[in-house]
mmCIF file of all heavy atoms in Angstrom:
data_model
loop_
_atom_site.group_PDB
_atom_site.id
_atom_site.type_symbol
_atom_site.label_atom_id
_atom_site.label_comp_id
_atom_site.label_asym_id
_atom_site.label_seq_id
_atom_site.Cartn_x
_atom_site.Cartn_y
_atom_site.Cartn_z
ATOM 1 N N ALA A 894 -14.608 13.060 3.026
ATOM 2 C CA ALA A 894 -16.152 13.374 2.974
ATOM 3 C C ALA A 894 -16.559 13.792 4.343
ATOM 4 O O ALA A 894 -16.228 13.126 5.295
ATOM 5 C CB ALA A 894 -16.819 12.148 2.480
ATOM 6 N N ASP A 895 -17.322 14.836 4.361
ATOM 7 C CA ASP A 895 -17.828 15.344 5.690
ATOM 8 C C ASP A 895 -19.384 15.328 5.633
ATOM 9 O O ASP A 895 -20.116 16.044 4.827
ATOM 10 C CB ASP A 895 -17.520 16.884 5.789
ATOM 11 C CG ASP A 895 -17.564 17.325 7.173
ATOM 12 O OD1 ASP A 895 -18.093 16.650 8.047
ATOM 13 O OD2 ASP A 895 -17.073 18.585 7.529
ATOM 14 N N GLU A 896 -19.915 14.231 6.301
ATOM 15 C CA GLU A 896 -21.319 13.843 6.338
ATOM 16 C C GLU A 896 -21.907 13.721 5.048
ATOM 17 O O GLU A 896 -22.825 14.458 4.641
ATOM 18 C CB GLU A 896 -22.092 15.087 7.075
ATOM 19 C CG GLU A 896 -21.648 15.294 8.523
ATOM 20 C CD GLU A 896 -22.043 14.100 9.455
ATOM 21 O OE1 GLU A 896 -22.784 13.095 8.950
ATOM 22 O OE2 GLU A 896 -21.750 14.151 10.704
ATOM 23 N N PRO A 897 -21.391 12.802 4.319
ATOM 24 C CA PRO A 897 -21.930 12.616 2.793
ATOM 25 C C PRO A 897 -23.298 11.976 2.841
ATOM 26 O O PRO A 897 -23.852 12.069 1.667
ATOM 27 C CB PRO A 897 -20.870 11.645 2.174
ATOM 28 C CG PRO A 897 -20.385 10.889 3.444
ATOM 29 C CD PRO A 897 -20.290 11.897 4.508
ATOM 30 N N THR A 898 -23.872 11.518 3.839
ATOM 31 C CA THR A 898 -25.193 10.778 3.747
ATOM 32 C C THR A 898 -26.259 11.934 4.040
ATOM 33 O O THR A 898 -27.477 11.398 4.109
ATOM 34 C CB THR A 898 -25.248 9.707 4.718
ATOM 35 O OG1 THR A 898 -25.031 10.082 6.059
ATOM 36 C CG2 THR A 898 -24.264 8.501 4.425
ATOM 37 N N SER A 899 -26.047 13.063 4.488
ATOM 38 C CA SER A 899 -26.969 14.026 4.807
ATOM 39 C C SER A 899 -27.980 14.163 3.749
ATOM 40 O O SER A 899 -27.437 14.448 2.507
ATOM 41 C CB SER A 899 -26.280 15.417 5.165
ATOM 42 O OG SER A 899 -25.569 15.335 6.455
ATOM 43 N N HIS A 900 -29.309 14.065 3.995
ATOM 44 C CA HIS A 900 -30.363 14.315 3.091
ATOM 45 C C HIS A 900 -30.478 13.280 2.101
ATOM 46 O O HIS A 900 -31.207 13.375 1.069
ATOM 47 C CB HIS A 900 -30.265 15.683 2.388
ATOM 48 C CG HIS A 900 -30.388 16.841 3.388
ATOM 49 N ND1 HIS A 900 -31.498 17.276 3.939
ATOM 50 C CD2 HIS A 900 -29.352 17.668 4.009
ATOM 51 C CE1 HIS A 900 -31.423 18.150 4.764
ATOM 52 N NE2 HIS A 900 -30.178 18.488 4.833
ATOM 53 N N LEU A 901 -29.640 12.236 2.153
ATOM 54 C CA LEU A 901 -29.926 11.166 1.146
ATOM 55 C C LEU A 901 -30.816 10.054 1.748
ATOM 56 O O LEU A 901 -30.910 9.839 2.952
ATOM 57 C CB LEU A 901 -28.445 10.304 1.000
ATOM 58 C CG LEU A 901 -27.446 10.841 0.208
ATOM 59 C CD1 LEU A 901 -26.237 10.014 0.194
ATOM 60 C CD2 LEU A 901 -27.838 11.472 -1.132
ATOM 61 N N ASP A 902 -31.725 9.621 0.893
ATOM 62 C CA ASP A 902 -32.638 8.530 1.327
ATOM 63 C C ASP A 902 -31.895 7.262 1.336
ATOM 64 O O ASP A 902 -30.662 7.073 1.011
ATOM 65 C CB ASP A 902 -33.885 8.553 0.480
ATOM 66 C CG ASP A 902 -33.573 8.272 -1.028
ATOM 67 O OD1 ASP A 902 -32.504 7.681 -1.355
ATOM 68 O OD2 ASP A 902 -34.382 8.615 -1.884
ATOM 69 N N ARG A 903 -32.631 6.088 1.785
ATOM 70 C CA ARG A 903 -31.959 4.924 1.955
ATOM 71 C C ARG A 903 -31.356 4.287 0.550
ATOM 72 O O ARG A 903 -30.232 3.708 0.505
ATOM 73 C CB ARG A 903 -32.910 3.811 2.440
ATOM 74 C CG ARG A 903 -33.314 4.075 3.895
ATOM 75 C CD ARG A 903 -33.922 2.846 4.541
ATOM 76 N NE ARG A 903 -34.139 2.968 5.930
ATOM 77 C CZ ARG A 903 -34.540 2.019 6.773
ATOM 78 N NH1 ARG A 903 -34.836 0.902 6.379
ATOM 79 N NH2 ARG A 903 -34.712 2.342 8.131
ATOM 80 N N GLU A 904 -32.064 4.731 -0.519
ATOM 81 C CA GLU A 904 -31.523 4.185 -1.705
ATOM 82 C C GLU A 904 -30.228 4.839 -2.051
ATOM 83 O O GLU A 904 -29.265 4.279 -2.601
ATOM 84 C CB GLU A 904 -32.602 4.387 -2.856
ATOM 85 C CG GLU A 904 -32.304 3.973 -4.151
ATOM 86 C CD GLU A 904 -33.246 4.342 -5.291
ATOM 87 O OE1 GLU A 904 -33.442 5.447 -5.643
ATOM 88 O OE2 GLU A 904 -34.156 3.311 -5.515
ATOM 89 N N GLY A 905 -30.258 6.168 -1.797
ATOM 90 C CA GLY A 905 -29.000 7.045 -2.073
ATOM 91 C C GLY A 905 -27.818 6.560 -1.241
ATOM 92 O O GLY A 905 -26.780 6.458 -1.618
ATOM 93 N N ILE A 906 -28.206 6.262 0.047
ATOM 94 C CA ILE A 906 -27.107 5.739 1.003
ATOM 95 C C ILE A 906 -26.507 4.492 0.581
ATOM 96 O O ILE A 906 -25.363 4.275 0.561
ATOM 97 C CB ILE A 906 -27.683 5.718 2.444
ATOM 98 C CG1 ILE A 906 -27.989 7.213 2.960
ATOM 99 C CG2 ILE A 906 -26.703 4.996 3.457
ATOM 100 C CD1 ILE A 906 -28.693 7.151 4.310
ATOM 101 N N ASP A 907 -27.358 3.565 0.193
ATOM 102 C CA ASP A 907 -26.990 2.242 -0.345
ATOM 103 C C ASP A 907 -26.064 2.330 -1.505
ATOM 104 O O ASP A 907 -25.170 1.682 -1.677
ATOM 105 C CB ASP A 907 -28.233 1.264 -0.616
ATOM 106 C CG ASP A 907 -28.861 0.842 0.701
ATOM 107 O OD1 ASP A 907 -28.278 0.940 1.668
ATOM 108 O OD2 ASP A 907 -30.103 0.517 0.567
ATOM 109 N N PHE A 908 -26.455 3.290 -2.502
ATOM 110 C CA PHE A 908 -25.666 3.489 -3.687
ATOM 111 C C PHE A 908 -24.267 3.979 -3.200
ATOM 112 O O PHE A 908 -23.151 3.506 -3.756
ATOM 113 C CB PHE A 908 -26.215 4.437 -4.742
ATOM 114 C CG PHE A 908 -25.440 4.711 -5.937
ATOM 115 C CD1 PHE A 908 -25.483 3.772 -6.859
ATOM 116 C CD2 PHE A 908 -24.766 5.767 -6.038
ATOM 117 C CE1 PHE A 908 -24.824 3.890 -8.154
ATOM 118 C CE2 PHE A 908 -23.905 6.098 -7.107
ATOM 119 C CZ PHE A 908 -23.921 5.007 -8.147
ATOM 120 N N LEU A 909 -24.160 4.975 -2.277
ATOM 121 C CA LEU A 909 -22.882 5.408 -1.907
ATOM 122 C C LEU A 909 -22.055 4.450 -1.218
ATOM 123 O O LEU A 909 -20.870 4.439 -1.463
ATOM 124 C CB LEU A 909 -23.144 6.615 -0.885
ATOM 125 C CG LEU A 909 -21.975 7.254 -0.307
ATOM 126 C CD1 LEU A 909 -21.120 7.832 -1.318
ATOM 127 C CD2 LEU A 909 -22.444 8.411 0.665
ATOM 128 N N ILE A 910 -22.757 3.623 -0.554
ATOM 129 C CA ILE A 910 -22.018 2.465 0.301
ATOM 130 C C ILE A 910 -21.355 1.623 -0.707
ATOM 131 O O ILE A 910 -20.207 1.282 -0.651
ATOM 132 C CB ILE A 910 -22.957 1.717 1.166
ATOM 133 C CG1 ILE A 910 -23.278 2.551 2.447
ATOM 134 C CG2 ILE A 910 -22.299 0.322 1.546
ATOM 135 C CD1 ILE A 910 -24.380 1.873 3.307
ATOM 136 N N GLY A 911 -22.100 1.260 -1.836
ATOM 137 C CA GLY A 911 -21.553 0.398 -2.885
ATOM 138 C C GLY A 911 -20.382 0.969 -3.619
ATOM 139 O O GLY A 911 -19.463 0.374 -3.931
ATOM 140 N N GLN A 912 -20.440 2.349 -3.825
ATOM 141 C CA GLN A 912 -19.376 3.082 -4.386
ATOM 142 C C GLN A 912 -18.055 3.040 -3.633
ATOM 143 O O GLN A 912 -16.962 2.744 -4.136
ATOM 144 C CB GLN A 912 -19.721 4.489 -4.910
ATOM 145 C CG GLN A 912 -20.870 4.475 -5.983
ATOM 146 C CD GLN A 912 -20.311 4.113 -7.346
ATOM 147 O OE1 GLN A 912 -19.345 4.563 -7.777
ATOM 148 N NE2 GLN A 912 -20.975 3.079 -7.898
ATOM 149 N N LEU A 913 -18.188 3.332 -2.354
ATOM 150 C CA LEU A 913 -17.152 3.668 -1.456
ATOM 151 C C LEU A 913 -16.404 2.228 -1.025
ATOM 152 O O LEU A 913 -15.302 2.187 -0.832
ATOM 153 C CB LEU A 913 -17.534 4.330 -0.258
ATOM 154 C CG LEU A 913 -17.827 5.959 -0.427
ATOM 155 C CD1 LEU A 913 -18.302 6.494 0.874
ATOM 156 C CD2 LEU A 913 -16.677 6.609 -1.048
ATOM 157 N N LYS A 914 -17.293 1.150 -0.975
ATOM 158 C CA LYS A 914 -16.716 -0.141 -0.689
ATOM 159 C C LYS A 914 -15.628 -0.571 -1.598
ATOM 160 O O LYS A 914 -14.657 -1.193 -1.182
ATOM 161 C CB LYS A 914 -17.826 -1.150 -0.629
ATOM 162 C CG LYS A 914 -18.530 -1.422 0.719
ATOM 163 C CD LYS A 914 -19.503 -2.613 0.623
ATOM 164 C CE LYS A 914 -20.179 -2.944 1.991
ATOM 165 N NZ LYS A 914 -21.030 -4.093 1.887
ATOM 166 N N TYR A 915 -15.814 -0.189 -2.972
ATOM 167 C CA TYR A 915 -14.854 -0.817 -3.852
ATOM 168 C C TYR A 915 -14.025 0.395 -4.426
ATOM 169 O O TYR A 915 -13.386 0.194 -5.408
ATOM 170 C CB TYR A 915 -15.813 -1.439 -5.054
ATOM 171 C CG TYR A 915 -16.522 -2.510 -4.486
ATOM 172 C CD1 TYR A 915 -17.985 -2.403 -4.277
ATOM 173 C CD2 TYR A 915 -16.016 -3.784 -4.203
ATOM 174 C CE1 TYR A 915 -18.640 -3.514 -3.823
ATOM 175 C CE2 TYR A 915 -16.654 -4.859 -3.737
ATOM 176 C CZ TYR A 915 -17.984 -4.641 -3.462
ATOM 177 O OH TYR A 915 -18.731 -5.784 -3.031
ATOM 178 N N PHE A 916 -14.020 1.490 -3.748
ATOM 179 C CA PHE A 916 -13.114 2.590 -4.195
ATOM 180 C C PHE A 916 -11.715 2.236 -3.875
ATOM 181 O O PHE A 916 -11.476 1.778 -2.740
ATOM 182 C CB PHE A 916 -13.528 3.966 -3.522
ATOM 183 C CG PHE A 916 -12.642 5.010 -3.749
ATOM 184 C CD1 PHE A 916 -12.394 5.627 -5.050
ATOM 185 C CD2 PHE A 916 -11.861 5.575 -2.623
ATOM 186 C CE1 PHE A 916 -11.510 6.699 -5.159
ATOM 187 C CE2 PHE A 916 -10.995 6.637 -2.818
ATOM 188 C CZ PHE A 916 -10.785 7.226 -4.149
#
Side-chain angles (χ1 to χ4, degrees):
D895 199 351
E896 297 291 357
T898 62
S899 292
H900 296 286
L901 291 182
D902 55 23
R903 289 193 174 193
E904 186 179 79
I906 292 172
D907 287 341
F908 180 79
L909 178 60
I910 288 171
Q912 292 291 306
L913 291 176
K914 268 187 174 181
Y915 301 104
F916 174 63

